[in-house]
Amino acid sequence: MTNVLITGATSGIGAAFARRFAAKGFDLVQVARNKERLDRTADELRTRYGVKVETIAADLLEATGRAAVEERLASSVNPVDVLVNNAGFGLPAPFPHSPIDDEERMLDLLTKVPLRLTHAAVPGMTARRRGVILNVSSVAGLLPTGTYGAAKAWLTAFSESLRVDLAPHGVRVLALCPGFTRTEFQERAGMDVSSLPAWAWLEADSVVDQALKDLGRGKPVSITGWRYKTYALAVRHAPRTLAAKMARSRTPK
C-alpha cells in the first residue's frame, strides 16, 4: 500500500492533496500543528474513503516536532512513498518591515524544513527505487518578490536539481508553482487581496489536479492555468529590470 505524508495537511492545497490521494486509495500520514483539526480531518477521510490515516501533531519549526516527522519518513515500517512538502506561511509586510524573528521563521519553514524532510525521506526511497517528492513552491519565486519569493525560488531550484539527481534511482520530483489560490493562506498572513480580480484566483483542487498530471508527464515544474503559464513564460524571458517592475504585482500561493 502506498503511504503519502503531507505537511500542512488540514487546509488549502495540503487538504486537497489529502482528498485526492485518499480517493485513489492511498493511505495517509497527515502532519499539522492543530491536533483537534488534524484528528477531525483524519476521521473524515477515513469515513469517506476507507483509507488508513496516521496523524502527527507537530510544529515543524520546533526541533522535537520536526524530528518526529523525520523519524516517520526514515522508517522502513509502512514506508512513506510520497512526500508532499506543503507547510508554509507568508508575511503581510515586505522586508524589512516585518519582525526579523518572523522573517527567520518563515525562511526556516519554506526552506530548512523541506530540506530536512526530504533528506530523511530520500535514502529509503532510493533504496526501494521508487518514490515521489512534491514541493509546493509558488510563481512568486519567478520574480524578485521579497523574502517569500526568494525562499520559493530556492525551493523550485532545489526541486529541479533534486529531480535530476534522483531520476536514476526511480524517485520523481516536482515543484508546484501556483498563483493566488483560494486557501486560508492570505487571511493568515494578513494580506489585503480584495482588489484582485476573480480571474486571478485558482482553486486548490485544480492546482492538485494539474500537479498530478504534470507529475505523470515527467515535468519538472507545474503551473496551473493558462494565465499563470503565460505569466511564467513572460517573466522567465523578460529582462531582469522589467521583471523587477512586474514584481509589484505579487503572486504568492
Side-chain angles (χ1 to χ4, degrees):
M1 177 62 69
T2 300
N3 290 285
V4 182
L5 188 146
I6 306 168
T7 66
T10 57
S11 65
I13 293 174
F17 266 118
R19 292 191 299 271
R20 192 53 43 87
F21 279 119
K24 291 177 176 289
F26 296 169
D27 291 337
L28 304 176
V29 183
Q30 291 190 291
V31 180
R33 289 184 300 170
N34 188 316
K35 186 178 186 306
E36 181 180 350
R37 189 175 188 183
L38 190 62
D39 291 341
R40 183 172 66 252
T41 57
D43 285 341
E44 290 170 357
L45 290 166
R46 293 185 190 106
T47 301
R48 182 173 181 180
Y49 299 106
V51 297
K52 296 179 181 177
V53 184
E54 299 176 46
T55 60
I56 303 176
D59 184 343
L60 293 172
L61 290 172
E62 298 292 336
T64 52
R66 194 167 56 244
V69 181
E70 291 174 7
E71 182 178 353
R72 180 63 185 87
L73 287 166
S75 175
S76 59
V77 179
N78 294 323
V80 170
D81 305 293
V82 180
L83 167 61
V84 182
N85 282 310
N86 169 70
F89 68 89
L91 298 173
F95 188 87
H97 302 292
S98 296
I100 189 61
D101 288 345
D102 290 347
E103 290 279 4
E104 188 172 19
R105 290 176 65 253
M106 182 182 71
L107 185 64
D108 282 351
L109 190 57
L110 298 183
T111 60
K112 178 181 178 179
V113 168
L115 177 75
R116 291 189 62 98
L117 299 190
T118 301
H119 190 270
V122 163
M125 290 182 178
T126 56
R128 295 187 296 273
R129 300 196 65 80
R130 71 176 188 274
V132 173
I133 298 169
L134 299 169
N135 290 325
V136 181
S137 185
S138 171
V139 293
L142 303 177
L143 284 173
T145 51
T147 48
Y148 178 86
K152 290 299 190 179
W154 179 91
L155 186 58
T156 300
F158 171 64
S159 302
E160 292 188 88
S161 175
L162 197 65
R163 173 178 175 270
V164 174
D165 293 338
L166 297 183
H169 304 280
V171 179
R172 295 177 290 165
V173 183
L174 178 72
L176 288 65
C177 292
F180 281 106
T181 305
R182 296 189 189 279
T183 67
E184 299 172 4
F185 177 87
Q186 291 81 20
E187 182 180 354
R188 288 179 176 177
M191 297 176 179
D192 181 7
V193 292
S194 58
S195 62
L196 279 176
W199 60 259
W201 289 100
L202 302 170
E203 299 298 330
D205 287 327
S206 297
V207 172
V208 169
D209 285 344
Q210 187 65 56
L212 295 180
K213 288 178 183 176
D214 289 338
L215 178 68
R217 294 166 180 164
K219 292 188 175 183
V221 175
S222 177
I223 298 174
T224 303
W226 68 266
R227 291 182 178 87
Y228 282 113
K229 289 178 181 178
T230 302
Y231 171 86
L233 182 64
V235 300
R236 281 172 177 164
H237 296 284
R240 298 312 293 169
T241 52
L242 177 60
K245 292 180 181 179
M246 296 174 68
R248 293 174 184 169
S249 176
R250 296 188 176 189
T251 51
K253 77 176 173 109

